[in-house]
Amino acid sequence: MNAIDIQSITKRYGDTLAVDRLTLTVPEGGLFALLGVNGAGKSTLIHMLCGLTKPTSGDALLLGKSVAREAAAVHALVGVSPQETAVAPNLTALENLELMAGAYGLRDAKRRADEIIAAFRLGEVEKKPARTLSGGWQRRLSIAMALVSDPKILFLDEPTLGLDVIARRELWAHIRRVKEKATVILTTHYLEEAESLADRVGVMAHGRLVAVGAPAELIEMSGAASFEDAFIALAGEGVDLS
Ligand SMILES: Nc1ncnc2c1ncn2[C@@H]1O[C@H](COP(=O)(O)OP(=O)(O)O)[C@@H](O)[C@H]1O
Ligand SMILES: [Mg+2]
């Protein structure tokens, strides 16, 4: 079974067509990177896939469950670390994890939070209020929270935005471990991140998917010299770069 099977999904906000009849399948396992300039529709697509917003039309199956008709079943399958991190600022790292475990109705929320603290090496910050943590630690906590329910499919929306190069590389190591066990969908503006982590990449422009393939395939397909040039050729269609 595919992890994700998107069937002509569309989201309209008033006159804005944020996602336009997008069709895509993502096989189970590994990491799929979603690329595109600001406003391309990446976050809107992720919101629809994890049940945060309803499609205007079309549907997507996540491990066979419909986002349009089986929202509760989809919720149980997915974890999400949103673009705007959703950590509660006044709670400690540990309390944030316990809250998330409680929200998923896990019987032993405290034990699950402790397991995640150990797995994500969050011990040194577990008692600190989230608002006092650096950007890198907050992102790590946000991803850890998305994994509390042991999701089969994990969505990471710009997980390394604004992080320094050391914090970014640390998160890459965590993400590489996660993609051994779950299907990961990640958006990023850092092309070297997509090239390094992704098995396959999809490029969005104006709410549509304009290319899909392994990074090397996209380079070949566009006749470009590098992944960055390939991205510009595919995503920057209509933009005058001269
Ligand atoms: N809640 C919303 N209400 C109205 N317009 C929105 C909303 N969310 C996104 N949009 C619009 O939809 C388009 C796609 O946005 P978004 O999905 O955030 O793109 P990306 O994540 O690729 O930057 C943009 O034109 C954006 O302004
Ligand atoms: Mg976005």
Side-chain angles (χ1 to χ4, degrees), residues 92-132:
T92 67
L94 184 61
E95 287 165 347
N96 266 288
L97 288 162
E98 287 174 3
L99 185 72
M100 189 58 90
Y104 271 97
L106 301 188
R107 255 176 293 129
D108 201 343
K110 173 82 179 78
R111 206 183 81 204
R112 181 62 183 147
D114 285 338
E115 279 172 15
I116 291 278
I117 292 273
F120 272 77
R121 300 193 202 98
L122 284 159
E124 70 179 86
V125 302
E126 67 175 351
K127 299 218 161 57
K128 294 185 178 166
R131 72 182 134 75
T132 66

Coordinates of all heavy atoms in Angstrom, one line a residue, residues 92-132:
T92 N 7.1 23.3 30.4 CA 8.4 22.7 30.2 C 8.4 21.8 29.1 O 7.3 21.3 28.6 CB 8.9 22.0 31.5 OG1 8.1 20.8 31.6 CG2 8.9 22.8 32.7
A93 N 9.6 21.4 28.6 CA 9.7 20.4 27.5 C 9.0 19.1 27.9 O 8.2 18.6 27.1 CB 11.2 20.1 27.2
L94 N 9.2 18.7 29.1 CA 8.5 17.4 29.6 C 7.0 17.6 29.6 O 6.3 16.7 29.1 CB 9.1 17.0 30.9 CG 8.6 15.7 31.5 CD1 9.0 14.5 30.7 CD2 9.1 15.5 32.9
E95 N 6.6 18.7 30.1 CA 5.1 18.9 30.2 C 4.5 19.0 28.8 O 3.4 18.5 28.6 CB 4.8 20.2 31.0 CG 5.1 20.1 32.5 CD 5.2 21.4 33.2 OE1 5.3 22.5 32.5 OE2 5.2 21.4 34.4
N96 N 5.2 19.6 27.9 CA 4.7 19.6 26.5 C 4.5 18.2 26.0 O 3.5 17.9 25.3 CB 5.6 20.4 25.6 CG 5.3 21.9 25.4 OD1 4.3 22.2 24.8 ND2 6.1 22.7 26.1
L97 N 5.4 17.4 26.2 CA 5.4 16.0 25.7 C 4.2 15.2 26.4 O 3.5 14.5 25.8 CB 6.7 15.3 25.9 CG 7.8 15.8 25.0 CD1 9.2 15.4 25.5 CD2 7.6 15.2 23.6
E98 N 4.1 15.5 27.7 CA 3.0 14.8 28.5 C 1.6 15.2 28.0 O 0.7 14.4 27.8 CB 3.1 15.0 30.0 CG 4.3 14.3 30.6 CD 4.5 14.7 32.1 OE1 3.7 15.5 32.6 OE2 5.5 14.2 32.7
L99 N 1.5 16.5 27.7 CA 0.3 17.1 27.2 C -0.1 16.4 25.9 O -1.2 16.0 25.7 CB 0.4 18.6 27.0 CG -0.8 19.4 26.6 CD1 -1.8 19.5 27.8 CD2 -0.4 20.8 26.2
M100 N 0.9 16.3 25.0 CA 0.7 15.7 23.7 C 0.3 14.2 23.9 O -0.7 13.7 23.2 CB 1.9 15.8 22.9 CG 1.8 15.4 21.4 SD 0.5 16.3 20.6 CE 1.5 17.7 20.0
A101 N 1.0 13.5 24.8 CA 0.6 12.1 25.0 C -0.8 12.0 25.5 O -1.5 11.1 25.2 CB 1.6 11.5 26.0
G102 N -1.2 12.9 26.4 CA -2.5 12.9 27.0 C -3.6 13.2 25.9 O -4.6 12.5 25.8
A103 N -3.2 14.1 25.0 CA -4.1 14.5 23.9 C -4.4 13.3 23.0 O -5.5 13.1 22.4 CB -3.6 15.6 23.1
Y104 N -3.4 12.4 22.9 CA -3.6 11.2 22.1 C -4.2 10.0 22.9 O -4.4 8.9 22.4 CB -2.3 10.7 21.5 CG -2.0 11.3 20.1 CD1 -1.2 12.5 20.0 CD2 -2.6 10.8 19.0 CE1 -1.0 13.0 18.8 CE2 -2.4 11.4 17.7 CZ -1.5 12.5 17.6 OH -1.3 13.1 16.4
G105 N -4.6 10.3 24.1 CA -5.2 9.3 25.0 C -4.3 8.1 25.3 O -4.8 7.0 25.6
L106 N -3.0 8.4 25.3 CA -2.1 7.3 25.7 C -2.2 7.0 27.2 O -2.3 7.9 28.0 CB -0.6 7.7 25.4 CG -0.3 8.0 23.9 CD1 1.2 8.2 23.7 CD2 -0.8 6.9 23.0
R107 N -2.3 5.7 27.5 CA -2.6 5.4 28.9 C -1.5 5.9 29.9 O -1.8 6.4 30.9 CB -2.7 3.8 29.1 CG -4.2 3.4 29.2 CD -4.3 1.9 29.2 NE -3.9 1.3 28.0 CZ -3.0 0.4 27.8 NH1 -2.4 -0.2 28.9 NH2 -2.7 -0.1 26.6
D108 N -0.2 5.6 29.5 CA 0.8 6.1 30.4 C 1.6 7.2 29.8 O 2.7 7.1 29.3 CB 1.8 4.9 30.7 CG 2.5 5.1 32.0 OD1 2.6 6.3 32.5 OD2 3.1 4.1 32.6
A109 N 1.0 8.4 29.9 CA 1.5 9.6 29.2 C 2.9 9.9 29.8 O 3.8 10.3 29.1 CB 0.6 10.8 29.4
K110 N 3.1 9.8 31.1 CA 4.4 10.1 31.7 C 5.5 9.2 31.2 O 6.6 9.7 30.9 CB 4.2 10.0 33.3 CG 5.5 10.1 34.1 CD 5.8 11.6 34.3 CE 7.0 11.8 35.1 NZ 8.3 11.6 34.4
R111 N 5.2 7.9 31.1 CA 6.2 7.0 30.7 C 6.6 7.3 29.2 O 7.7 7.2 28.8 CB 5.8 5.6 30.8 CG 7.0 4.7 31.0 CD 6.6 3.2 31.1 NE 6.4 2.7 29.8 CZ 5.6 1.6 29.6 NH1 5.0 1.0 30.6 NH2 5.5 1.2 28.3
R112 N 5.6 7.5 28.4 CA 5.8 7.8 27.0 C 6.7 9.1 26.8 O 7.6 9.1 26.0 CB 4.5 8.0 26.2 CG 4.6 8.2 24.8 CD 5.3 7.1 24.0 NE 5.5 7.3 22.6 CZ 6.6 6.9 21.9 NH1 7.5 6.1 22.5 NH2 6.7 7.2 20.6
A113 N 6.4 10.1 27.6 CA 7.1 11.4 27.6 C 8.6 11.1 27.9 O 9.5 11.6 27.3 CB 6.5 12.4 28.5
D114 N 8.8 10.3 28.9 CA 10.2 9.9 29.3 C 10.9 9.2 28.2 O 12.1 9.4 28.0 CB 10.2 9.1 30.6 CG 9.8 9.9 31.9 OD1 10.0 11.2 31.8 OD2 9.4 9.4 32.9
E115 N 10.2 8.3 27.6 CA 10.9 7.5 26.4 C 11.3 8.5 25.4 O 12.4 8.4 24.8 CB 9.8 6.6 25.8 CG 9.7 5.3 26.5 CD 8.5 4.5 25.9 OE1 8.0 4.8 24.8 OE2 8.0 3.6 26.6
I116 N 10.4 9.4 25.0 CA 10.7 10.4 23.9 C 11.9 11.3 24.4 O 12.8 11.6 23.6 CB 9.5 11.2 23.6 CG1 8.4 10.3 22.9 CG2 9.8 12.4 22.7 CD1 8.7 10.0 21.4
I117 N 11.9 11.7 25.6 CA 13.0 12.6 26.1 C 14.3 11.8 25.9 O 15.3 12.4 25.4 CB 12.8 12.9 27.6 CG1 11.6 13.8 27.9 CG2 14.1 13.4 28.3 CD1 11.9 15.2 27.8
A118 N 14.3 10.5 26.2 CA 15.6 9.8 26.1 C 15.9 9.6 24.6 O 17.1 9.8 24.2 CB 15.4 8.4 26.7
A119 N 14.9 9.3 23.7 CA 15.2 9.1 22.3 C 15.7 10.3 21.6 O 16.6 10.2 20.8 CB 14.0 8.6 21.6
F120 N 15.2 11.5 22.1 CA 15.6 12.7 21.4 C 16.7 13.5 22.2 O 16.9 14.7 21.9 CB 14.4 13.6 21.2 CG 13.7 13.3 19.9 CD1 13.0 12.2 19.7 CD2 14.0 14.1 18.8 CE1 12.4 11.9 18.5 CE2 13.4 13.8 17.5 CZ 12.6 12.7 17.4
R121 N 17.2 12.9 23.2 CA 18.3 13.5 24.1 C 17.8 14.9 24.5 O 18.6 15.8 24.3 CB 19.6 13.5 23.3 CG 20.0 12.1 23.0 CD 21.5 12.0 22.5 NE 21.8 10.9 21.7 CZ 21.8 10.9 20.4 NH1 21.6 12.0 19.7 NH2 22.0 9.7 19.7
L122 N 16.6 14.9 25.1 CA 16.1 16.2 25.5 C 16.3 16.4 27.0 O 15.8 17.3 27.6 CB 14.6 16.3 25.2 CG 14.3 16.7 23.7 CD1 12.9 16.3 23.4 CD2 14.5 18.1 23.4
G123 N 17.0 15.4 27.7 CA 17.1 15.4 29.1 C 17.6 16.7 29.7 O 17.1 17.2 30.7
E124 N 18.6 17.3 29.1 CA 19.2 18.5 29.7 C 18.2 19.8 29.7 O 18.5 20.7 30.4 CB 20.5 18.9 29.1 CG 20.5 19.4 27.6 CD 21.9 19.7 27.1 OE1 22.6 18.8 26.6 OE2 22.2 20.9 27.2
V125 N 17.2 19.7 28.9 CA 16.2 20.8 28.9 C 14.8 20.4 29.3 O 13.9 21.2 29.3 CB 16.1 21.4 27.4 CG1 17.4 21.9 26.9 CG2 15.5 20.4 26.4
E126 N 14.6 19.2 29.8 CA 13.3 18.7 30.1 C 12.5 19.6 31.1 O 11.3 19.7 31.1 CB 13.2 17.2 30.5 CG 13.9 17.0 31.9 CD 13.7 15.5 32.3 OE1 13.0 14.7 31.6 OE2 14.4 15.1 33.3
K127 N 13.3 20.2 32.1 CA 12.6 21.0 33.1 C 12.5 22.5 32.8 O 12.0 23.3 33.6 CB 13.3 20.8 34.4 CG 13.3 19.3 34.9 CD 13.1 19.2 36.4 CE 12.7 17.8 36.8 NZ 13.6 16.7 36.3
K128 N 13.0 22.9 31.6 CA 13.0 24.3 31.3 C 11.7 24.6 30.5 O 11.2 23.9 29.6 CB 14.2 24.6 30.4 CG 15.5 24.5 31.1 CD 16.6 24.9 30.3 CE 17.9 24.8 31.0 NZ 19.1 24.9 30.2
P129 N 11.1 25.8 30.8 CA 10.0 26.3 30.0 C 10.4 26.4 28.5 O 11.5 26.9 28.2 CB 9.6 27.7 30.6 CG 10.3 27.7 31.9 CD 11.5 26.8 31.8
A130 N 9.5 26.0 27.7 CA 9.8 25.9 26.2 C 10.2 27.3 25.7 O 11.1 27.4 24.8 CB 8.6 25.4 25.4
R131 N 9.6 28.4 26.2 CA 10.0 29.7 25.7 C 11.4 30.1 26.0 O 11.9 31.0 25.3 CB 9.0 30.8 26.3 CG 9.3 31.1 27.8 CD 8.3 32.1 28.3 NE 7.8 31.7 29.6 CZ 8.5 31.7 30.7 NH1 9.7 32.2 30.8 NH2 8.0 31.2 31.9
T132 N 12.1 29.4 26.9 CA 13.5 29.8 27.2 C 14.4 29.0 26.4 O 15.7 29.2 26.4 CB 13.8 29.5 28.7 OG1 13.7 28.1 29.0 CG2 12.8 30.3 29.6

